[in-house]
C-alpha cells in the first residue's frame, strides 16, 4: 500500500506523542488487568480460612436463617443464602452490614456448631484482588472517582488515537515487516519489529479495550442519556409491574424450594446463591449464578431479580434473555472482561494483557533510542534531558508497578493476623514500593536501575509462593489453603525466571551496547561490567 511520506510523518508524530503520554499509565492498566482475569481464584487464594463449622445442608438453611435473625436482627436488612459456599463466602447464611467507610460493608457468616449451637464470624474476604482491579481501572493513579475515571477516559482516547495512527504508519510495509524479527547489532530495529508485531497481531484486542474503556469512563453520562432516550419513566427495579403484592404475614420460600423453581425456569443456569434486601418495607430478592453458554456483564457471574414469595424469575437482565439494547450494553462488558469462553478466553486475555504491557514498554524504548545522540568523537555524547527522564520514568513506573503488585500479593498471607484495615495496608504497600522504585530509577539511572529493579521484581515475585509455603508449614502466623492456591503460586514461580532473564539481558546490553546510550552505565560501571563479562567468557 502506497502512502505519501509526508502523511506517514504526520501520523507517526501523532502515534509517538499519543503513545508517550498514555503509555506508562496503560502499562499499569494492562499489567494489573491481566492479573484480574483470574480475580476470583486470586480472591479465594488470598482469603484466610474461616473458623466456622462446615455449612449446613441447603434444606436446613431456613432453620439457620431464623436462628441468625433471632440473634442478629440487623441481618434482616441484607442477607444471602448461599447455594454453593466458597472459600471467600464459606457459610450457608451470610449477612452484610455497613462498614466504617463510604460504600464499604462487612460480611458475617453463620453456621451450626457440632452441638447444634449457632456460630457466627466476621468473614475476612481478602481485598487484594479488588485492589489490583481498582489499580487497573484507575490506570495506576492514586485518585478517587470521578477524577480517576475522567483521566482514564482521556488516556483511553489517546490510546485509541495511537492505535489508529500506528496502523496507518505500518500499512505501507505491513506485508514485508509483519513477522520480521531482525536480530542483530541494530537493537532499535529489533525493538521496532517486536513492537509492530505485538501491535498488529493484537490489534483487535486493543481496539476492543480502547472502545470499552471509553464507555466505562463516561458511563454515567451514557446512562443519563440512556435514561432519557430509553427509560423515560425510569428503570423499574424489583417486583415486575402488575405483580401481586405479598399477602400480610407471607413468608419467602425456603432456599431449597427457590432453587427448584429457578432451575425449572432457567435450565442451564447454575445457581450460586440468593440475595435478599429490605426496601421500603418490602423484601426484594435476586438470584446469582452463571450460564456458561453466554458471556456475562460481570467477570464470573450474572444476577437477576426474582420474587422471593413465588420463585418467579425476571430474566431480562440475564444474557440470552436480554433485549437488543441490554444485549449491546452486555457485549461491551463481556468483551472487556473476557467473561465468555471460560478459562480458555481468560488465559488468552491474560497473555494479550501482558503483551499489551510489553507493547507500551517497547514503544518508549523506541522513542528513547531514536533520539539518542550518537558519539561522533572520543568524549562521548550527552543525551537529552527528555531522553534521560523518559528512560528513568519507563523503568521506574513499569518495574515499580510489577514490584508493587508482587509485594502486596506476598504480604497477603501475613497481614490478616497482624492488621485490621487490610485494604489500606495493601494500597500502602503497593504505593510505597512503587514510589521507592521510581525514585531508585531516577537516582541510579535507567541502565543500573533496570537491572536492580528487575532483580527486585524476581525476588518479590518469588516471595509469593514462599509465603504460601510458610503458611503450609505454619510459620509466623501465615496460612495457606493447600491445593486451592496452586495456580497462583505456580504462575508466580513461572514469572521469576522471566524477571531474572530480563535482569541478565539488561546487564548484558548495558555492557555491550552503545556507550553513548542511556542504557549504558558509563565510566567505571561499564568497565566493571565488561570485565565481568570477559572473565565469564574465559571461564
Amino acid at each position: 500500500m502506497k502512502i505519501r511520506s509526508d502523511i506517514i510523518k504526520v501520523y507517526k508524530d501523532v502515534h509517538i506523542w499519543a503513545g508517550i503520554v498514555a503509555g506508562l499509565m496503560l502499562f499499569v492498566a494492562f499489567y494489573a488487568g491481566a492479573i484480574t482475569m483470574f480475580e476470583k481464584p486470586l480472591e479465594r487464594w488470598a482469603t484466610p480460612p474461616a473458623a466456622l463449622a462446615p455449612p449446613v445442608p441447603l434444606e436446613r438453611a431456613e432453620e439457620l436463617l431464623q436462628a441468625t435473625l433471632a440473634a442478629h436482627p440487623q441481618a434482616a436488612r441484607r442477607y444471602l443464602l448461599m447455594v454453593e459456599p466458597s472459600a471467600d463466602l464459606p457459610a450457608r447464611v451470610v449477612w452484610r452490614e455497613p462498614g466504617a467507610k463510604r460504600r464499604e460493608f462487612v460480611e458475617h457468616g453463620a453456621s451450626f456448631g457440632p452441638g447444634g449451637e449457632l456460630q457466627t464470624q466476621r468473614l475476612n474476604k481478602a481485598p487484594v484482588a479488588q485492589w489490583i482491579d481498582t489499580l487497573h481501572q484507575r490506570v495506576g493513579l492514586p485518585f478517587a472517582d470521578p477524577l480517576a475515571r475522567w483521566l482514564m477516559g482521556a488516556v483511553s482516547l489517546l490510546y485509541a488515537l495511537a492505535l489508529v495512527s500506528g496502523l496507518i504508519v505500518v500499512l505501507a510495509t505491513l506485508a514485508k515487516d509483519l513477522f520480521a524479527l531482525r536480530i542483530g547489532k541494530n537493537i532499535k530495529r529489533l525493538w521496532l519489529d517486536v513492537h509492530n508485531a505485538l501491535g498488529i497481531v493484537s490489534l483487535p484486542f486493543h481496539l476492543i479495550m480502547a472502545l470499552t474503556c471509553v464507555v466505562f469512563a463516561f458511563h454515567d453520562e451514557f446512562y443519563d442519556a440512556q435514561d432519557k432516550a430509553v427509560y423515560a419513566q425510569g428503570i423499574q427495579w424489583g417486583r415486575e409491574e402488575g405483580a401481586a403484592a405479598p399477602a400480610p404475614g407471607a413468608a419467602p420460600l425456603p432456599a431449597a424450594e427457590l432453587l427448584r423453581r429457578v432451575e425449572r425456569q432457567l435450565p442451564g443456569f447454575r445457581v450460586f446463591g440468593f440475595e435478599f434486601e429490605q426496601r421500603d418495607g418490602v423484601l426484594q430478592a435476586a438470584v446469582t449464578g452463571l450460564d456458561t453458554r453466554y458471556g456475562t456483564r460481570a467477570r464470573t457471574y450474572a444476577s437477576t431479580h426474582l420474587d422471593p414469595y413465588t420463585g418467579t424469575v425476571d430474566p431480562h437482565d440475564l444474557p440470552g434473555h436480554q433485549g437488543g439494547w441490554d444485549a449491546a450494553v452486555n457485549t461491551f462488558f463481556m468483551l472487556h472482561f473476557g467473561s465468555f469462553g471460560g478459562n480458555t478466553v481468560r488465559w488468552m486475555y491474560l497473555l494479550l494483557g501482558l503483551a499489551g504491557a510489553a507493547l507500551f514498554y517497547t514503544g518508549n524504548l523506541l522513542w528513547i533510542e531514536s533520539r539518542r545522540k550518537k558519539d561522533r568523537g572520543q568524549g562521548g555524547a550527552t543525551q537529552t534531558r527528555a531522553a534521560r527522564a523518559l528512560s528513568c520514568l519507563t523503568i521506574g513506573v513499569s518495574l515499580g508497578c510489577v514490584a508493587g503488585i508482587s509485594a502486596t500479593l506476598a504480604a497477603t498471607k501475613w497481614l490478616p493476623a497482624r492488621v485490621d484495615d487490610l485494604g489500606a495496608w495493601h494500597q500502602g504497600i503497593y504505593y510505597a514500593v512503587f514510589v521507592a522504585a521510581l525514585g531508585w530509577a531516577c537516582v541510579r539511572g535507567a541502565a543500573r536501575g533496570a537491572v536492580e529493579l528487575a532483580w527486585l521484581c524476581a525476588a518479590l515475585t518469588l516471595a509469593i509462593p514462599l509465603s504460601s509455603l510458610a503458611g503450609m508449614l505454619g510459620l509466623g502466623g501465615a496460612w495457606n489453603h493447600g491445593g486451592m492456591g496452586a495456580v497462583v503460586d505456580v504462575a508466580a514461580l513461572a514469572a521469576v525466571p522471566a524477571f531474572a532473564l530480563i535482569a541478565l539481558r539488561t546487564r548484558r546490553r548495558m555492557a555491550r551496547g552503545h556507550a553513548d546510550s542511556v542504557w549504558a552505565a558509563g565510566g567505571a560501571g561499564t568497565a566493571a561490567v565488561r570485565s565481568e563479562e570477559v572473565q565469564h567468557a574465559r571461564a
Side-chain angles (χ1 to χ4, degrees):
M1 182 176 181
K2 186 68 174 178
I3 303 177
R4 284 168 29 202
S5 59
D6 58 327
I7 295 177
I8 291 179
K9 185 180 184 306
V10 170
Y11 279 103
K12 188 174 181 180
D13 289 341
V14 170
H15 177 74
I16 288 172
W17 289 110
I20 289 295
V21 172
L24 294 179
M25 288 180 283
L26 288 171
F27 179 96
V28 178
F30 269 71
Y31 186 80
I35 294 174
T36 60
M37 289 311 304
F38 290 92
E39 179 179 354
K40 205 64 179 177
L42 179 59
E43 193 174 72
R44 291 195 294 266
W45 171 84
T47 299
L52 287 172
V56 300
L58 187 62
E59 288 72 20
R60 295 190 63 193
E62 186 66 21
E63 177 188 353
L64 176 61
L65 175 62
Q66 295 307 318
T68 302
L69 295 180
H72 303 276
Q74 73 277 14
R77 290 195 292 267
R78 189 179 183 187
Y79 62 91
L80 292 82
L81 293 177
M82 301 303 300
V83 174
E84 295 186 5
S86 57
D88 52 315
L89 291 173
R92 186 70 67 188
V93 172
V94 177
W95 77 92
R96 291 170 174 168
E97 299 178 7
K101 298 179 181 178
R102 184 172 175 264
R103 294 184 179 179
E104 181 185 66
F105 58 83
V106 178
E107 293 179 330
H108 301 265
S111 186
F112 285 137
E117 72 281 5
L118 178 67
Q119 288 185 345
T120 61
Q121 179 191 352
R122 175 173 173 170
L123 302 179
N124 296 316
K125 183 164 67 173
V128 65
Q130 181 57 49
W131 159 240
I132 295 175
D133 188 30
T134 301
L135 192 69
H136 156 71
Q137 294 174 26
R138 297 177 180 174
V139 292
L141 299 173
F143 305 131
D145 285 334
L147 178 58
R149 181 168 55 82
W150 277 79
L151 289 173
M152 185 264 281
V155 169
S156 301
L157 290 172
L158 285 173
Y159 173 27
L161 183 62
L163 288 173
V164 173
S165 56
L167 178 62
I168 293 173
V169 169
V170 302
L171 279 177
T173 59
L174 181 61
K176 181 179 67 174
D177 294 345
L178 177 57
F179 295 110
L181 286 178
R182 285 157 283 194
I183 301 174
K185 294 183 178 181
N186 191 336
I187 302 298
K188 177 187 171 185
R189 169 54 63 184
L190 174 61
W191 280 117
L192 179 61
D193 290 340
V194 172
H195 183 80
N196 288 343
L198 288 174
I200 293 298
V201 171
S202 58
L203 180 62
F205 173 78
H206 286 283
L207 290 174
I208 289 171
M209 293 299 109
L211 178 60
T212 53
C213 283
V214 171
V215 173
F216 295 160
F218 304 112
H219 70 278
D220 284 350
E221 291 73 21
F222 288 135
Y223 285 165
D224 289 343
Q226 177 182 319
D227 287 345
K228 292 180 173 58
V230 182
Y231 302 107
Q233 304 302 319
I235 300 177
Q236 303 298 316
W237 300 102
R239 296 176 59 82
E240 295 182 15
E241 187 177 352
L253 293 172
E257 180 59 27
L258 277 177
L259 177 61
R260 282 190 288 269
R261 297 192 183 193
V262 170
E263 288 178 339
R264 283 199 300 267
Q265 297 171 73
L266 301 174
F269 186 79
R270 178 183 170 188
V271 178
F272 296 157
F274 303 102
E275 182 174 353
F276 302 86
E277 185 175 3
Q278 291 285 347
R279 291 183 183 173
D280 300 323
V282 178
L283 185 66
Q284 305 285 343
V287 56
T288 299
L290 184 65
D291 189 335
T292 55
R293 296 172 297 178
Y294 305 102
T296 59
R297 183 165 179 161
R299 281 193 176 90
T300 56
Y301 68 90
S303 182
T304 193
H305 304 281
L306 83 156
D307 190 321
Y309 301 95
T310 66
T312 302
V313 177
D314 176 11
H316 79 273
D317 281 339
L318 294 179
H321 301 270
Q322 297 168 328
W325 184 265
D326 288 332
V329 173
N330 184 74
T331 300
F332 277 100
F333 287 86
M334 177 186 73
L335 289 174
H336 185 87
F337 294 144
S339 56
F340 62 95
N343 285 334
T344 300
V345 172
R346 290 191 183 94
W347 279 109
M348 182 179 70
Y349 265 50
L350 182 142
L351 295 176
L352 286 170
L354 295 178
L359 181 70
F360 306 122
Y361 184 80
T362 55
N364 280 17
L365 293 182
L366 284 170
W367 187 90
I368 294 167
E369 284 299 308
S370 66
R371 278 151 181 77
R372 176 168 57 86
K373 288 185 177 181
K374 296 184 178 180
D375 183 5
R376 304 299 183 184
Q378 300 299 319
T382 301
Q383 302 305 318
T384 64
R385 181 179 299 177
R388 286 186 283 111
L390 184 61
S391 63
C392 293
L393 283 174
T394 299
I395 295 303
V397 170
S398 301
L399 297 184
C401 167
V402 174
I405 289 177
S406 293
T408 199
L409 283 174
T412 298
K413 302 292 187 178
W414 307 91
L415 290 178
R418 292 169 170 80
V419 302
D420 293 325
D421 194 342
L422 293 175
W425 273 85
H426 280 298
Q427 293 183 41
I429 289 172
Y430 171 81
Y431 280 119
V433 174
F434 177 84
V435 171
L438 183 58
W440 187 266
C442 293
V443 171
R444 296 287 288 168
R448 293 191 183 93
V451 175
E452 293 156 354
L453 291 178
W455 282 118
L456 176 65
C457 290
L460 290 175
T461 305
L462 180 61
I464 296 173
L466 289 181
S467 296
S468 294
L469 179 62
M472 293 175 63
L473 299 176
L475 302 178
W479 52 269
N480 192 46
H481 279 304
M484 183 176 297
V487 64
V488 177
D489 295 322
V490 169
L493 276 175
V496 171
F499 293 132
L501 180 62
I502 291 173
L504 293 172
R505 296 292 295 182
T506 305
R507 184 177 177 84
R508 184 177 180 182
R509 165 82 172 118
M510 186 172 65
R512 299 182 178 180
H514 297 286
D516 54 11
S517 171
V518 294
W519 305 111
T526 302
V529 172
R530 284 177 174 167
S531 176
E532 290 181 14
E533 292 280 343
V534 170
Q535 293 176 8
H536 178 73
R538 289 176 177 174

